Amino acid sequence: MTAFPLPSVRGKIIENAPLAPYTWFRVGGPADALFLPADEDDLSDFLAALDPAVPVTVLGVGSNVIVRDGGIRGVVIRLMGKYWGMAQALDGITLEARAGALDLSVAKAAAQNGIRGLEFLSGIPGSIGGATRTNAGCYGRELRDTLVALHGFRRDGSPAAYRGPGKPGAQPEAHFSYRHTDLPDDLIVTRLILEGNDTDAPEKILADIEQLQARRADTQPIKEKTSGSTFANPDPPGTPDQRSAWKLIDAAGCRGLKVGGAQVSPKHCNFLINTGDATAADLEALGELVRRRVLETQGVELRWEVRRIGQLASETA
């Protein structure tokens, strides 16, 4: 049993829950408790009743995270499943999506309703809630370009809402920058309103998404145990050779570099892969080795885009 009391819920709570199966890297230790809320009311009630001293961590589909080998203390909340995966058109070029909806599913939902402008989401691995936290983007667009409003709850269970950059409304404005947002650390995003920039025949938009998916499969190690991009591109950009993290990593001689069971992908060197028996420590050590080599040889300090959360194994020994 956990060292802290757990409120009654309508969803599901798993104590001492292994987290590796919930991450794309398939590494990491257990959570003291894993909470799978049934819906927004269940989440709000749980947060309000949970001892404020108990830490809370949100884990989406686990596509952009390394859970350390010592696991995560407190409660991990995972917003996944049928309820949390909803994405539906509202009117015109506007769409609503709950936080657990996969980015690809959101792009396809928009396309099926003739909404153009959200196709880029199909190239981002993970869920739309996670994309919000990092202002994820690709193919020249970012989440902030499409956000009308977002809704969620603070750590105490109270509701919170923010309007998108430059959008009218009484709510405070959400501030975004490259691969970063200034949203409160304790905010759990549950629902977003997004807008496209035009309408078109659904079959044309879906064809464009298929092309983007094929492009991603050709250039990224999507069949491996990996994540999204490991490091953010330098911002502000430097010389042409310093504008892409992968070019810096390649120039530093890190393509294919290994630490234990972790490897820099030979296919795209801004991706780390678990070759089969990697630990979270292997992946993090490899990432730090890459950062050192890039700094030493290219003079650029790379910033982690993959989140590293939890405790080291030595901290729980």
Side-chain angles (χ1 to χ4, degrees):
M1 295 182 63
T2 61
F4 48 87
L6 290 165
S8 297
V9 299
R10 288 181 290 107
K12 186 176 183 180
I13 293 179
I14 306 171
E15 297 187 40
N16 194 32
L19 293 177
Y22 296 103
T23 73
W24 285 21
F25 275 125
R26 295 295 189 266
V27 300
D32 288 340
L34 175 65
F35 174 39
L36 310 173
D39 51 33
E40 288 176 289
D41 288 342
D42 195 27
L43 173 61
S44 176
D45 292 344
F46 175 86
L47 292 170
L50 184 66
D51 182 343
V54 176
V56 168
T57 303
V58 179
L59 179 67
V61 73
S63 64
N64 200 47
V65 65
I66 296 174
V67 175
R68 293 183 171 122
D69 300 307
I72 300 178
R73 304 287 69 79
V75 175
V76 172
I77 296 175
R78 192 166 190 260
L79 306 180
M80 299 301 295
K82 184 177 180 179
Y83 174 86
W84 294 105
M86 181 277 292
Q88 63 182 17
L90 296 178
D91 55 63
I93 57 173
T94 308
L95 177 140
E96 179 182 23
R98 294 196 181 116
L102 297 179
D103 297 321
L104 174 58
S105 298
V106 175
K108 286 185 173 180
Q112 289 162 354
N113 285 277
I115 300 172
R116 183 171 283 286
L118 300 179
E119 301 92 285
F120 76 98
L121 291 172
S122 66
I124 301 173
S127 62
I128 198 70
T132 307
R133 272 296 175 187
T134 60
N135 184 31
C138 63
Y139 308 134
R141 302 204 76 199
E142 298 175 307
L143 189 74
R144 65 178 167 185
D145 299 326
T146 72
L147 182 65
V148 176
L150 63 86
H151 301 265
F153 297 100
R154 303 296 294 269
R155 171 60 182 82
D156 62 2
S158 60
Y162 292 82
R163 56 189 171 90
K167 301 299 181 182
Q171 300 93 348
E173 181 175 334
H175 295 288
F176 292 78
S177 56
Y178 177 69
R179 300 299 178 268
H180 177 75
T181 73
D182 289 334
L183 295 170
D185 291 340
D186 72 336
L187 176 68
I188 299 177
V189 176
T190 58
R191 184 165 46 93
L192 297 90
I193 308 297
L194 306 173
E195 67 178 2
N197 52 25
D198 203 352
T199 58
D200 203 347
E203 58 270 20
K204 291 183 180 180
I205 308 175
L206 287 168
D208 289 344
I209 289 175
E210 288 182 5
Q211 290 183 355
L212 293 176
Q213 287 287 284
R215 174 179 171 184
R216 180 168 172 252
D218 286 342
T219 59
Q220 298 177 14
I222 62 173
K223 295 183 179 180
E224 306 285 352
K225 296 175 184 176
T226 186
S227 66
S229 297
T230 307
F231 303 106
N233 290 327
D235 181 42
T239 65
D241 288 339
Q242 294 179 329
R243 290 175 185 166
S244 297
W246 79 263
K247 290 183 178 180
L248 292 164
I249 296 167
D250 208 15
C254 296
R255 186 182 293 268
L257 186 66
K258 291 184 177 180
V259 170
Q263 182 182 27
V264 175
S265 170
K267 188 171 188 176
H268 190 312
C269 49
N270 196 21
F271 287 77
L272 303 184
I273 59 176
N274 175 359
T275 62
D277 60 353
T279 63
D282 290 342
L283 289 161
E284 192 166 3
L286 177 58
E288 288 300 322
L289 177 58
V290 168
R291 292 181 72 237
R292 287 197 301 273
R293 290 196 178 182
V294 168
L295 182 60
E296 291 168 358
T297 64
Q298 310 302 306
V300 177
E301 185 171 8
L302 292 177
R303 175 168 62 87
W304 281 91
E305 189 169 336
V306 170
R307 295 170 60 218
R308 295 154 295 145
I309 59 176
Q311 294 183 306
L312 302 174
S314 59
E315 295 176 310
T316 60

